Amino acid sequence: MSAYVPVHQGPGFAARIKDALAVAMLSLMLGIPMIGLHTVDSGGALSIATRWPWLALFVGIMFGGRLAMQFALDHFKLNKARRAQKRPAVRATRPWLKWLGYAVLGFSLVLPIAFSGNRYVVDTATTVLIYVMLGWGLNVVVGLAGLLDLGYVAFYAVGAYTYGLLSTHFGWGFWQTLPVAGALAATFGIILGWPTLRLRGDYLAIVTLGFGEIIRLILVNWTDFSGGPNGIGQIPRPTFFGLPFSPDTDTPTFATFFHIEYAAEHRVIFLYYVILALALLTNLFVSRLRKLPVGIAWEAVREDEVACKALGMNVTNIKLSAFAIGAMLGGFAGVFFAARQGFISPESFVFSESATILAIVVLGGMGSQLGVVVAAILLVLLPELGRDFSEYRMLLFGAAMILIMVWRPGGLIASREPTVKLNKGAQA
Amino acid sequence: MSTHHTLLEVEHLTMRFGGLTALSDLSLNVAAGQITSIIGPNGAGKTTFFNCLTGFYKPTEGAVRMHHPQHGALLLNEMPSYHVARKAGVVRTFQNIRLFPNMTVLENLIVAQHNALQTASRFSLAGLFGRAGYKAARQQALEKAEMWLTRLKLLDLADTAAGNLSYGTQRRIEIARALCVDPLLICLDEPAAGLNPRESAELNELLVYLSREHGKGVLLIEHDMNVVMRVSDHICVLNFGNKIAEGTPQQIQQDPNVIKAYLGEEETDEKVAA
Ligand SMILES: Nc1ncnc2c1ncn2[C@@H]1O[C@H](COP(=O)(O)OP(=O)(O)O)[C@@H](O)[C@H]1O
Ligand SMILES: [Mg+2]
């Protein structure tokens, strides 16, 4: 192979025609006996019939196909050479990604209206959004700070049980519990992080995996506290500024207040918008943090911890802040989960949940916010679509994962947007 | 040169790894505004010395004392590595370059100013709400980065990912990044390795500029005798962890111990004599 392919010219057009003609000749020679002539059984005796139009078609297809294939290959090679030649430094920021982001946002805003009759769609979209939020939370830890956390579901559980317990025992509301649960989850993040963050890579992963299991086992076994394997039921659903979504008419409800017919969908749609708002806030929060000193430091720690220390950065604190903030966001998502389900049990916080969330982050492209969305949609919808052949679901899932990793080893959206640019027009 | 005050005092520094004594009873003074070079064959303990200075290794014996104009005498050997840079103002580069490869050159230099920015942004909280104090600090950080980028001829590459650049350029970035910490003492571990002659000459000029114009202490590990003999004010020669000679370039070139230590290596010997 030549190392340098001139960008502007492929092999000449005449050469390509010649090449295609040669292929056509070859196919003509092969085609005469195989397609042009065939035997027919006419009254006990074999006789030979001709199929010249078929042969002509075959040769034509071979000619055209060869041409098309060569042009496609040339094009592919040229593109590759072009990419190799001007390998952009920070991979060129792609404006269409931003537009894709806006398109997804716009679609998510109108989705419940567009599918207002279809509860299933809105429900599934809500699930997707929970995973998006969890993905964005874990992205702080894994994608930005580069800490492999296999027990992220623990913080999700902390959030869910905080709401489950506070609401059933003390009558706390959804919005009231949210900050408390976030703070509690963050505290758990620090408790986990403090002794373990001096561990690296694989070791940290194993400890976090253990932590996730410990939390789950506590929830299973400490029956007085958590209800054990039976979980907590009858968790109050979030209300619309105090107006419940119920068919009762004694007290004002959402339906009576707005003088509309009660419909079960109202709550589904409301829940959808709540998680959408939470997810968007999370996104805003994380994108801002990324450009602030702490966020830049997370990425620096991911890139080279030793260099960070040599520059005077307290790596432990930086990692702890990533752990705490990731945990807090997981806690928020947990509160929403409990409120949406109305019932929680340790069953919902098993390791495979952590694995799914991690898969979303890795698949999305470590550190990419939009990538997380795409991956969450894929990972939630793929099993849904695979329901019809449920036996092969995991197979399908695994195959899709492998395909994507082969196709895009850096994740679906691997480009990284610099947090600051010298050319000041681009950055506030 | 008595006008230059002592910045760093190394006293009886010893570092053992099991049975191996990588550094043995090393004493040395490093002055502000001067270039002090550590030379010696491979495995002499030069990098180990840097690791002991900057908190990456805890020395087995001995002390490293930094005389800080504001904070007084600081024992570096008792500090965690990040305090050495943050409090004592001693910043190092690495023999095998350690940049943040996926971040841009500019981001590399902004990370180096993390502590100042973090304080100005009240641990990023004020930054979250776009407070003016933080914006000013951020502007200052950008200006400082731009200043060193210009000085090191890196300005065109500011928005390029650091990991994609050539070896010599990466070395320059690492030095620029270290300078963004505003060190009192900058420790460079073989900065000229892999540089072409032009880049090497530019490095010489930069080192002289840093020590003379900025009054920084420069501690230099270098193999290239051209660089060492031309720019050093003071040279310390290590061999198998022992200091075998110390003095001005002229003294070192004539030192019988040094000549003997380098005798096995024909090429280096010529360079020393040159
Ligand atoms: N962490 C370590 N553990 C064991 N031996 C080490 C360690 N660091 C350095 N050494 C040894 O100390 C000696 C000096 O190494 P070094 O300081 O890297 O030499 P150089 O002068 O080439 O920079 C070598 O023999 C090296 O193998
Ligand atoms: Mg070395």
PDB file of all heavy atoms in Angstrom, chain A residues 89-90 292-294 296-297 303-304 309-310 312-314 416 419 422 424, chain B residues 82 85 98 100-102 104 107 111 114-115 124 134 146 159-160 164:
ATOM      1  N   ALA A  89      -6.857  18.154  15.680  1.00  0.00           N
ATOM      2  CA  ALA A  89      -6.227  18.018  16.978  1.00  0.00           C
ATOM      3  C   ALA A  89      -7.250  17.656  18.036  1.00  0.00           C
ATOM      4  O   ALA A  89      -7.369  16.514  18.414  1.00  0.00           O
ATOM      5  CB  ALA A  89      -5.545  19.318  17.318  1.00  0.00           C
ATOM      6  N   VAL A  90      -7.970  18.637  18.498  1.00  0.00           N
ATOM      7  CA  VAL A  90      -9.136  18.267  19.275  1.00  0.00           C
ATOM      8  C   VAL A  90     -10.128  18.001  18.175  1.00  0.00           C
ATOM      9  O   VAL A  90     -10.377  18.861  17.362  1.00  0.00           O
ATOM     10  CB  VAL A  90      -9.615  19.431  20.139  1.00  0.00           C
ATOM     11  CG1 VAL A  90     -11.005  19.158  20.670  1.00  0.00           C
ATOM     12  CG2 VAL A  90      -8.661  19.652  21.269  1.00  0.00           C
ATOM     13  N   LEU A 292     -16.014  24.808  35.025  1.00  0.00           N
ATOM     14  CA  LEU A 292     -15.496  25.461  36.220  1.00  0.00           C
ATOM     15  C   LEU A 292     -14.231  24.740  36.680  1.00  0.00           C
ATOM     16  O   LEU A 292     -13.964  23.618  36.252  1.00  0.00           O
ATOM     17  CB  LEU A 292     -16.563  25.447  37.307  1.00  0.00           C
ATOM     18  CG  LEU A 292     -17.714  26.420  37.029  1.00  0.00           C
ATOM     19  CD1 LEU A 292     -18.843  26.229  38.018  1.00  0.00           C
ATOM     20  CD2 LEU A 292     -17.208  27.848  37.082  1.00  0.00           C
ATOM     21  N   PRO A 293     -13.467  25.373  37.577  1.00  0.00           N
ATOM     22  CA  PRO A 293     -12.201  24.753  37.996  1.00  0.00           C
ATOM     23  C   PRO A 293     -12.376  23.293  38.419  1.00  0.00           C
ATOM     24  O   PRO A 293     -11.569  22.443  38.052  1.00  0.00           O
ATOM     25  CB  PRO A 293     -11.769  25.621  39.167  1.00  0.00           C
ATOM     26  CG  PRO A 293     -12.398  26.929  38.927  1.00  0.00           C
ATOM     27  CD  PRO A 293     -13.650  26.702  38.169  1.00  0.00           C
ATOM     28  N   VAL A 294     -13.429  23.003  39.157  1.00  0.00           N
ATOM     29  CA  VAL A 294     -13.556  21.647  39.671  1.00  0.00           C
ATOM     30  C   VAL A 294     -13.757  20.654  38.528  1.00  0.00           C
ATOM     31  O   VAL A 294     -13.195  19.564  38.529  1.00  0.00           O
ATOM     32  CB  VAL A 294     -14.686  21.563  40.728  1.00  0.00           C
ATOM     33  CG1 VAL A 294     -16.047  21.803  40.138  1.00  0.00           C
ATOM     34  CG2 VAL A 294     -14.671  20.221  41.420  1.00  0.00           C
ATOM     35  N   ILE A 296     -12.761  21.000  35.332  1.00  0.00           N
ATOM     36  CA  ILE A 296     -11.526  20.863  34.563  1.00  0.00           C
ATOM     37  C   ILE A 296     -10.567  19.968  35.340  1.00  0.00           C
ATOM     38  O   ILE A 296      -9.859  19.139  34.773  1.00  0.00           O
ATOM     39  CB  ILE A 296     -10.910  22.256  34.292  1.00  0.00           C
ATOM     40  CG1 ILE A 296     -11.920  23.128  33.543  1.00  0.00           C
ATOM     41  CG2 ILE A 296      -9.644  22.131  33.485  1.00  0.00           C
ATOM     42  CD1 ILE A 296     -11.456  24.540  33.292  1.00  0.00           C
ATOM     43  N   ALA A 297     -10.592  20.132  36.674  1.00  0.00           N
ATOM     44  CA  ALA A 297      -9.709  19.298  37.498  1.00  0.00           C
ATOM     45  C   ALA A 297     -10.110  17.829  37.413  1.00  0.00           C
ATOM     46  O   ALA A 297      -9.249  16.950  37.396  1.00  0.00           O
ATOM     47  CB  ALA A 297      -9.745  19.783  38.945  1.00  0.00           C
ATOM     48  N   GLU A 303      -6.878  12.272  33.257  1.00  0.00           N
ATOM     49  CA  GLU A 303      -5.791  12.208  32.290  1.00  0.00           C
ATOM     50  C   GLU A 303      -4.476  11.798  32.929  1.00  0.00           C
ATOM     51  O   GLU A 303      -3.760  10.987  32.375  1.00  0.00           O
ATOM     52  CB  GLU A 303      -5.620  13.569  31.609  1.00  0.00           C
ATOM     53  CG  GLU A 303      -6.837  14.028  30.847  1.00  0.00           C
ATOM     54  CD  GLU A 303      -6.934  13.383  29.482  1.00  0.00           C
ATOM     55  OE1 GLU A 303      -6.056  13.620  28.676  1.00  0.00           O
ATOM     56  OE2 GLU A 303      -7.892  12.621  29.260  1.00  0.00           O
ATOM     57  N   ASP A 304      -4.119  12.420  34.034  1.00  0.00           N
ATOM     58  CA  ASP A 304      -2.858  12.066  34.692  1.00  0.00           C
ATOM     59  C   ASP A 304      -2.844  12.551  36.137  1.00  0.00           C
ATOM     60  O   ASP A 304      -2.671  13.728  36.412  1.00  0.00           O
ATOM     61  CB  ASP A 304      -1.666  12.650  33.940  1.00  0.00           C
ATOM     62  CG  ASP A 304      -0.365  11.986  34.343  1.00  0.00           C
ATOM     63  OD1 ASP A 304      -0.196  11.695  35.546  1.00  0.00           O
ATOM     64  OD2 ASP A 304       0.475  11.749  33.473  1.00  0.00           O
ATOM     65  N   LYS A 309      -0.795  16.042  40.925  1.00  0.00           N
ATOM     66  CA  LYS A 309      -0.129  16.230  42.223  1.00  0.00           C
ATOM     67  C   LYS A 309       1.069  17.152  42.081  1.00  0.00           C
ATOM     68  O   LYS A 309       1.295  18.034  42.916  1.00  0.00           O
ATOM     69  CB  LYS A 309       0.332  14.882  42.761  1.00  0.00           C
ATOM     70  CG  LYS A 309      -0.796  14.051  43.312  1.00  0.00           C
ATOM     71  CD  LYS A 309      -0.230  12.770  43.895  1.00  0.00           C
ATOM     72  CE  LYS A 309      -1.355  11.826  44.253  1.00  0.00           C
ATOM     73  NZ  LYS A 309      -0.868  10.448  44.429  1.00  0.00           N
ATOM     74  N   ALA A 310       1.824  16.956  41.005  1.00  0.00           N
ATOM     75  CA  ALA A 310       3.018  17.780  40.811  1.00  0.00           C
ATOM     76  C   ALA A 310       2.653  19.243  40.590  1.00  0.00           C
ATOM     77  O   ALA A 310       3.481  20.116  40.782  1.00  0.00           O
ATOM     78  CB  ALA A 310       3.827  17.253  39.631  1.00  0.00           C
ATOM     79  N   GLY A 312       0.310  20.682  42.305  1.00  0.00           N
ATOM     80  CA  GLY A 312      -0.228  21.197  43.559  1.00  0.00           C
ATOM     81  C   GLY A 312      -1.702  20.952  43.763  1.00  0.00           C
ATOM     82  O   GLY A 312      -2.343  21.636  44.557  1.00  0.00           O
ATOM     83  N   MET A 313      -2.262  19.992  43.024  1.00  0.00           N
ATOM     84  CA  MET A 313      -3.696  19.746  43.181  1.00  0.00           C
ATOM     85  C   MET A 313      -3.936  18.611  44.172  1.00  0.00           C
ATOM     86  O   MET A 313      -3.279  17.574  44.116  1.00  0.00           O
ATOM     87  CB  MET A 313      -4.309  19.383  41.823  1.00  0.00           C
ATOM     88  CG  MET A 313      -4.257  20.543  40.861  1.00  0.00           C
ATOM     89  SD  MET A 313      -4.298  20.019  39.151  1.00  0.00           S
ATOM     90  CE  MET A 313      -5.996  19.554  39.006  1.00  0.00           C
ATOM     91  N   ASN A 314      -4.912  18.832  45.035  1.00  0.00           N
ATOM     92  CA  ASN A 314      -5.257  17.816  46.011  1.00  0.00           C
ATOM     93  C   ASN A 314      -6.168  16.785  45.337  1.00  0.00           C
ATOM     94  O   ASN A 314      -7.388  16.943  45.276  1.00  0.00           O
ATOM     95  CB  ASN A 314      -5.956  18.469  47.197  1.00  0.00           C
ATOM     96  CG  ASN A 314      -6.238  17.479  48.293  1.00  0.00           C
ATOM     97  OD1 ASN A 314      -6.288  16.272  48.064  1.00  0.00           O
ATOM     98  ND2 ASN A 314      -6.418  17.982  49.492  1.00  0.00           N
ATOM     99  N   ARG A 416     -14.539  15.480  22.056  1.00  0.00           N
ATOM    100  CA  ARG A 416     -14.542  16.212  23.308  1.00  0.00           C
ATOM    101  C   ARG A 416     -14.482  17.699  23.005  1.00  0.00           C
ATOM    102  O   ARG A 416     -13.632  18.156  22.253  1.00  0.00           O
ATOM    103  CB  ARG A 416     -13.317  15.808  24.122  1.00  0.00           C
ATOM    104  CG  ARG A 416     -13.180  16.572  25.398  1.00  0.00           C
ATOM    105  CD  ARG A 416     -11.930  16.183  26.155  1.00  0.00           C
ATOM    106  NE  ARG A 416     -11.799  17.039  27.295  1.00  0.00           N
ATOM    107  CZ  ARG A 416     -11.270  18.257  27.249  1.00  0.00           C
ATOM    108  NH1 ARG A 416     -10.799  18.718  26.131  1.00  0.00           N
ATOM    109  NH2 ARG A 416     -11.222  19.007  28.331  1.00  0.00           N
ATOM    110  N   THR A 419     -13.053  22.998  27.134  1.00  0.00           N
ATOM    111  CA  THR A 419     -13.810  23.788  28.090  1.00  0.00           C
ATOM    112  C   THR A 419     -13.526  25.275  27.931  1.00  0.00           C
ATOM    113  O   THR A 419     -14.273  26.112  28.412  1.00  0.00           O
ATOM    114  CB  THR A 419     -13.452  23.394  29.526  1.00  0.00           C
ATOM    115  OG1 THR A 419     -12.038  23.468  29.652  1.00  0.00           O
ATOM    116  CG2 THR A 419     -13.904  21.992  29.828  1.00  0.00           C
ATOM    117  N   LEU A 422      -8.856  29.895  23.329  1.00  0.00           N
ATOM    118  CA  LEU A 422      -8.153  31.164  23.343  1.00  0.00           C
ATOM    119  C   LEU A 422      -8.870  32.180  22.464  1.00  0.00           C
ATOM    120  O   LEU A 422      -8.961  33.341  22.787  1.00  0.00           O
ATOM    121  CB  LEU A 422      -6.719  30.965  22.865  1.00  0.00           C
ATOM    122  CG  LEU A 422      -5.775  32.031  23.379  1.00  0.00           C
ATOM    123  CD1 LEU A 422      -5.799  32.076  24.886  1.00  0.00           C
ATOM    124  CD2 LEU A 422      -4.385  31.770  22.886  1.00  0.00           C
ATOM    125  N   LYS A 424     -11.468  34.111  21.734  1.00  0.00           N
ATOM    126  CA  LYS A 424     -12.471  34.399  22.760  1.00  0.00           C
ATOM    127  C   LYS A 424     -13.890  34.484  22.237  1.00  0.00           C
ATOM    128  O   LYS A 424     -14.847  34.427  23.005  1.00  0.00           O
ATOM    129  CB  LYS A 424     -12.117  35.688  23.503  1.00  0.00           C
ATOM    130  CG  LYS A 424     -11.113  35.410  24.599  1.00  0.00           C
ATOM    131  CD  LYS A 424     -10.144  36.562  24.783  1.00  0.00           C
ATOM    132  CE  LYS A 424      -8.985  36.145  25.643  1.00  0.00           C
ATOM    133  NZ  LYS A 424      -7.700  36.531  25.122  1.00  0.00           N
TER     134      LYS A 424
ATOM    135  N   TYR B  82       1.355  17.272  46.736  1.00  0.00           N
ATOM    136  CA  TYR B  82       0.670  18.459  46.222  1.00  0.00           C
ATOM    137  C   TYR B  82       0.984  19.702  47.045  1.00  0.00           C
ATOM    138  O   TYR B  82       0.954  20.818  46.533  1.00  0.00           O
ATOM    139  CB  TYR B  82      -0.840  18.226  46.099  1.00  0.00           C
ATOM    140  CG  TYR B  82      -1.613  18.156  47.384  1.00  0.00           C
ATOM    141  CD1 TYR B  82      -2.223  19.304  47.900  1.00  0.00           C
ATOM    142  CD2 TYR B  82      -1.751  16.968  48.064  1.00  0.00           C
ATOM    143  CE1 TYR B  82      -2.942  19.246  49.072  1.00  0.00           C
ATOM    144  CE2 TYR B  82      -2.472  16.904  49.243  1.00  0.00           C
ATOM    145  CZ  TYR B  82      -3.058  18.056  49.747  1.00  0.00           C
ATOM    146  OH  TYR B  82      -3.771  18.010  50.906  1.00  0.00           O
ATOM    147  N   ALA B  85       4.134  21.640  45.733  1.00  0.00           N
ATOM    148  CA  ALA B  85       3.907  22.618  44.671  1.00  0.00           C
ATOM    149  C   ALA B  85       3.094  23.799  45.175  1.00  0.00           C
ATOM    150  O   ALA B  85       3.388  24.951  44.888  1.00  0.00           O
ATOM    151  CB  ALA B  85       3.190  21.945  43.507  1.00  0.00           C
ATOM    152  N   ARG B  98       4.490  14.089  31.186  1.00  0.00           N
ATOM    153  CA  ARG B  98       3.151  13.808  31.708  1.00  0.00           C
ATOM    154  C   ARG B  98       2.247  14.998  31.457  1.00  0.00           C
ATOM    155  O   ARG B  98       2.111  15.875  32.295  1.00  0.00           O
ATOM    156  CB  ARG B  98       3.222  13.525  33.202  1.00  0.00           C
ATOM    157  CG  ARG B  98       3.755  12.148  33.536  1.00  0.00           C
ATOM    158  CD  ARG B  98       3.757  11.943  35.030  1.00  0.00           C
ATOM    159  NE  ARG B  98       4.085  10.577  35.366  1.00  0.00           N
ATOM    160  CZ  ARG B  98       3.204   9.581  35.419  1.00  0.00           C
ATOM    161  NH1 ARG B  98       1.939   9.818  35.158  1.00  0.00           N
ATOM    162  NH2 ARG B  98       3.586   8.368  35.743  1.00  0.00           N
ATOM    163  N   PHE B 100      -1.749  16.320  30.009  1.00  0.00           N
ATOM    164  CA  PHE B 100      -3.125  15.839  29.956  1.00  0.00           C
ATOM    165  C   PHE B 100      -3.456  15.704  28.474  1.00  0.00           C
ATOM    166  O   PHE B 100      -3.889  16.671  27.845  1.00  0.00           O
ATOM    167  CB  PHE B 100      -4.064  16.815  30.663  1.00  0.00           C
ATOM    168  CG  PHE B 100      -3.612  17.145  32.064  1.00  0.00           C
ATOM    169  CD1 PHE B 100      -3.357  18.452  32.434  1.00  0.00           C
ATOM    170  CD2 PHE B 100      -3.435  16.138  33.001  1.00  0.00           C
ATOM    171  CE1 PHE B 100      -2.931  18.758  33.718  1.00  0.00           C
ATOM    172  CE2 PHE B 100      -3.010  16.436  34.291  1.00  0.00           C
ATOM    173  CZ  PHE B 100      -2.756  17.749  34.643  1.00  0.00           C
ATOM    174  N   PRO B 101      -3.228  14.529  27.894  1.00  0.00           N
ATOM    175  CA  PRO B 101      -3.160  14.429  26.423  1.00  0.00           C
ATOM    176  C   PRO B 101      -4.450  14.784  25.692  1.00  0.00           C
ATOM    177  O   PRO B 101      -4.391  15.334  24.605  1.00  0.00           O
ATOM    178  CB  PRO B 101      -2.775  12.964  26.190  1.00  0.00           C
ATOM    179  CG  PRO B 101      -3.092  12.257  27.453  1.00  0.00           C
ATOM    180  CD  PRO B 101      -2.962  13.258  28.555  1.00  0.00           C
ATOM    181  N   ASN B 102      -5.597  14.495  26.270  1.00  0.00           N
ATOM    182  CA  ASN B 102      -6.839  14.782  25.554  1.00  0.00           C
ATOM    183  C   ASN B 102      -7.340  16.201  25.766  1.00  0.00           C
ATOM    184  O   ASN B 102      -8.367  16.588  25.222  1.00  0.00           O
ATOM    185  CB  ASN B 102      -7.935  13.803  25.965  1.00  0.00           C
ATOM    186  CG  ASN B 102      -7.673  12.432  25.401  1.00  0.00           C
ATOM    187  OD1 ASN B 102      -7.445  12.282  24.211  1.00  0.00           O
ATOM    188  ND2 ASN B 102      -7.668  11.435  26.264  1.00  0.00           N
ATOM    189  N   THR B 104      -6.714  20.403  25.646  1.00  0.00           N
ATOM    190  CA  THR B 104      -5.948  21.300  24.788  1.00  0.00           C
ATOM    191  C   THR B 104      -4.754  21.861  25.564  1.00  0.00           C
ATOM    192  O   THR B 104      -4.688  21.774  26.794  1.00  0.00           O
ATOM    193  CB  THR B 104      -6.807  22.479  24.306  1.00  0.00           C
ATOM    194  OG1 THR B 104      -7.160  23.268  25.434  1.00  0.00           O
ATOM    195  CG2 THR B 104      -8.049  22.003  23.595  1.00  0.00           C
ATOM    196  N   GLU B 107      -5.906  24.339  28.025  1.00  0.00           N
ATOM    197  CA  GLU B 107      -6.510  23.705  29.204  1.00  0.00           C
ATOM    198  C   GLU B 107      -5.439  23.149  30.140  1.00  0.00           C
ATOM    199  O   GLU B 107      -5.564  23.236  31.366  1.00  0.00           O
ATOM    200  CB  GLU B 107      -7.456  22.576  28.772  1.00  0.00           C
ATOM    201  CG  GLU B 107      -8.793  23.065  28.252  1.00  0.00           C
ATOM    202  CD  GLU B 107      -9.674  21.924  27.771  1.00  0.00           C
ATOM    203  OE1 GLU B 107      -9.207  21.109  26.959  1.00  0.00           O
ATOM    204  OE2 GLU B 107     -10.828  21.852  28.202  1.00  0.00           O
ATOM    205  N   VAL B 111      -5.368  24.168  34.025  1.00  0.00           N
ATOM    206  CA  VAL B 111      -5.373  23.200  35.120  1.00  0.00           C
ATOM    207  C   VAL B 111      -4.273  23.539  36.121  1.00  0.00           C
ATOM    208  O   VAL B 111      -4.464  23.441  37.333  1.00  0.00           O
ATOM    209  CB  VAL B 111      -5.181  21.761  34.590  1.00  0.00           C
ATOM    210  CG1 VAL B 111      -4.931  20.801  35.735  1.00  0.00           C
ATOM    211  CG2 VAL B 111      -6.388  21.319  33.791  1.00  0.00           C
ATOM    212  N   HIS B 114      -5.224  25.686  38.952  1.00  0.00           N
ATOM    213  CA  HIS B 114      -6.421  25.198  39.623  1.00  0.00           C
ATOM    214  C   HIS B 114      -6.631  25.810  41.003  1.00  0.00           C
ATOM    215  O   HIS B 114      -7.728  26.265  41.323  1.00  0.00           O
ATOM    216  CB  HIS B 114      -6.335  23.676  39.748  1.00  0.00           C
ATOM    217  CG  HIS B 114      -7.428  23.072  40.569  1.00  0.00           C
ATOM    218  ND1 HIS B 114      -8.697  22.896  40.079  1.00  0.00           N
ATOM    219  CD2 HIS B 114      -7.455  22.635  41.848  1.00  0.00           C
ATOM    220  CE1 HIS B 114      -9.452  22.360  41.016  1.00  0.00           C
ATOM    221  NE2 HIS B 114      -8.733  22.189  42.097  1.00  0.00           N
ATOM    222  N   ASN B 115      -5.572  25.831  41.820  1.00  0.00           N
ATOM    223  CA  ASN B 115      -5.762  26.275  43.201  1.00  0.00           C
ATOM    224  C   ASN B 115      -6.225  27.721  43.282  1.00  0.00           C
ATOM    225  O   ASN B 115      -7.153  28.030  44.026  1.00  0.00           O
ATOM    226  CB  ASN B 115      -4.473  26.071  43.994  1.00  0.00           C
ATOM    227  CG  ASN B 115      -4.227  24.596  44.236  1.00  0.00           C
ATOM    228  OD1 ASN B 115      -5.159  23.845  44.502  1.00  0.00           O
ATOM    229  ND2 ASN B 115      -2.986  24.178  44.096  1.00  0.00           N
ATOM    230  N   SER B 124     -15.805  26.549  43.267  1.00  0.00           N
ATOM    231  CA  SER B 124     -16.658  26.464  42.083  1.00  0.00           C
ATOM    232  C   SER B 124     -18.094  26.881  42.346  1.00  0.00           C
ATOM    233  O   SER B 124     -18.881  26.979  41.423  1.00  0.00           O
ATOM    234  CB  SER B 124     -16.639  25.057  41.459  1.00  0.00           C
ATOM    235  OG  SER B 124     -15.361  24.804  40.936  1.00  0.00           O
ATOM    236  N   TYR B 134     -14.948  35.611  40.325  1.00  0.00           N
ATOM    237  CA  TYR B 134     -14.418  34.450  39.629  1.00  0.00           C
ATOM    238  C   TYR B 134     -14.067  34.798  38.183  1.00  0.00           C
ATOM    239  O   TYR B 134     -13.034  34.383  37.666  1.00  0.00           O
ATOM    240  CB  TYR B 134     -15.421  33.301  39.669  1.00  0.00           C
ATOM    241  CG  TYR B 134     -15.067  32.198  38.706  1.00  0.00           C
ATOM    242  CD1 TYR B 134     -13.872  31.493  38.864  1.00  0.00           C
ATOM    243  CD2 TYR B 134     -15.881  31.886  37.627  1.00  0.00           C
ATOM    244  CE1 TYR B 134     -13.511  30.498  37.980  1.00  0.00           C
ATOM    245  CE2 TYR B 134     -15.524  30.896  36.733  1.00  0.00           C
ATOM    246  CZ  TYR B 134     -14.344  30.206  36.910  1.00  0.00           C
ATOM    247  OH  TYR B 134     -13.992  29.243  36.025  1.00  0.00           O
ATOM    248  N   GLU B 146      -1.679  32.748  28.394  1.00  0.00           N
ATOM    249  CA  GLU B 146      -1.335  33.322  27.103  1.00  0.00           C
ATOM    250  C   GLU B 146       0.092  33.862  27.110  1.00  0.00           C
ATOM    251  O   GLU B 146       0.835  33.716  26.135  1.00  0.00           O
ATOM    252  CB  GLU B 146      -2.337  34.437  26.790  1.00  0.00           C
ATOM    253  CG  GLU B 146      -2.509  34.683  25.319  1.00  0.00           C
ATOM    254  CD  GLU B 146      -3.625  35.675  25.035  1.00  0.00           C
ATOM    255  OE1 GLU B 146      -4.571  35.757  25.842  1.00  0.00           O
ATOM    256  OE2 GLU B 146      -3.531  36.368  24.011  1.00  0.00           O
ATOM    257  N   ASP B 159      -5.286  25.780  21.129  1.00  0.00           N
ATOM    258  CA  ASP B 159      -6.545  25.035  21.141  1.00  0.00           C
ATOM    259  C   ASP B 159      -6.406  23.634  20.550  1.00  0.00           C
ATOM    260  O   ASP B 159      -7.381  23.020  20.135  1.00  0.00           O
ATOM    261  CB  ASP B 159      -7.615  25.833  20.385  1.00  0.00           C
ATOM    262  CG  ASP B 159      -7.924  27.149  21.097  1.00  0.00           C
ATOM    263  OD1 ASP B 159      -7.807  27.178  22.330  1.00  0.00           O
ATOM    264  OD2 ASP B 159      -8.250  28.138  20.422  1.00  0.00           O
ATOM    265  N   THR B 160      -5.180  23.135  20.527  1.00  0.00           N
ATOM    266  CA  THR B 160      -4.923  21.795  20.008  1.00  0.00           C
ATOM    267  C   THR B 160      -4.773  20.822  21.172  1.00  0.00           C
ATOM    268  O   THR B 160      -4.262  21.190  22.215  1.00  0.00           O
ATOM    269  CB  THR B 160      -3.599  21.800  19.212  1.00  0.00           C
ATOM    270  OG1 THR B 160      -3.526  23.000  18.476  1.00  0.00           O
ATOM    271  CG2 THR B 160      -3.523  20.621  18.292  1.00  0.00           C
ATOM    272  N   ASN B 164      -1.460  15.233  20.768  1.00  0.00           N
ATOM    273  CA  ASN B 164      -1.209  15.043  19.339  1.00  0.00           C
ATOM    274  C   ASN B 164       0.052  15.733  18.850  1.00  0.00           C
ATOM    275  O   ASN B 164       0.366  15.654  17.680  1.00  0.00           O
ATOM    276  CB  ASN B 164      -2.382  15.604  18.519  1.00  0.00           C
ATOM    277  CG  ASN B 164      -3.600  14.725  18.643  1.00  0.00           C
ATOM    278  OD1 ASN B 164      -3.530  13.675  19.258  1.00  0.00           O
ATOM    279  ND2 ASN B 164      -4.696  15.154  18.068  1.00  0.00           N
TER     280      ASN B 164
END
